[in-house]
Amino acid sequence: AAAVNLPGPANWILRTNHFWYRKTVTGGSEIVWVDAETLTRRPAFDHERLAVSLSAASGEKYTGLRLPLGGGANLMFVDAEQAIEFIAAGSRWKCDLKDYKCTKTGPAPGPPPGGNTPPQLRPTPVPPSTLPRTSPDGLWEASINNFNIVIRSKDKKQDFALSFDGSE
């Protein structure tokens, strides 16, 4: 059985005090949106509605628990958090979070010039739990501590746990 309620790394949303993270749930994962100032948490969007719209637009079959929204490089909140952009089914997509219309915006980026980097030349990845993510305004940082999302005010150095025991 897969572990549930395990958070992924925090991904700050540009020009806001908001961030998102992926957490595991039974049968897949969910994207959670957080306001670092108020500590408000909620699903980032209607996962099922997005899956239906993206499935229809792409010709692929997605479910709300199995959306192709990978790490921070593959999901961006845009248009004052009213839309998201990501890569799926070999294309770039933009989905409006008001009406959930998904539009193909271009092909997915190809591999870097010169092909793949040999494994021995790739930098050693640092576990996400050791990398605090600073908010765009520099006032907050989010990190994972013992499988829980924790935010810290940079000026007060006070921690706020947003999940406990690896769950909400």
Side-chain angles (χ1 to χ4, degrees):
V4 296
N5 292 321
L6 295 179
N11 299 279
W12 289 97
I13 299 170
L14 292 178
R15 294 181 288 284
T16 72
N17 285 324
H18 307 152
F19 65 90
W20 65 269
Y21 65 94
R22 174 190 298 281
K23 78 171 186 174
T24 59
V25 296
T26 301
S29 62
E30 170 180 279
I31 306 295
V32 179
W33 175 94
V34 179
D35 182 323
E37 289 185 284
T38 65
L39 305 183
T40 302
R41 276 180 304 175
R42 61 172 168 76
F45 42 77
D46 183 331
H47 290 66
E48 283 301 323
R49 193 169 173 196
L50 180 63
V52 168
S53 179
L54 181 59
S55 294
S58 70
E60 301 288 330
K61 177 62 179 148
Y62 298 108
T63 68
L65 296 177
R66 298 229 177 248
L67 287 165
L69 307 176
N74 191 37
L75 175 61
M76 291 181 51
F77 283 79
V78 296
D79 299 344
E81 300 178 68
Q82 297 302 303
I84 56 174
E85 293 180 346
F86 54 91
I87 297 167
S91 298
R92 293 176 191 254
W93 295 89
K94 182 174 183 178
C95 294
D96 190 309
L97 297 178
K98 289 173 275 174
D99 62 9
Y100 285 83
K101 180 180 179 190
C102 292
T103 307
K104 190 183 297 188
T105 61
N116 293 330
T117 305
Q120 64 272 23
L121 299 180
R122 291 184 195 139
T124 303
V126 178
S129 59
T130 63
L131 292 174
R133 305 279 178 106
T134 303
S135 65
D137 64 6
L139 297 177
W140 298 92
E141 69 181 22
S143 61
I144 297 175
N145 184 355
N146 198 23
F147 299 104
N148 291 296
I149 294 280
V150 177
I151 62 169
R152 173 183 293 158
S153 171
K154 294 280 267 191
D155 58 348
K156 296 178 186 168
K157 296 295 182 191
Q158 185 175 6
D159 291 344
F160 300 96
L162 297 180
S163 63
F164 303 93
D165 296 327
S167 64
E168 282 191 30

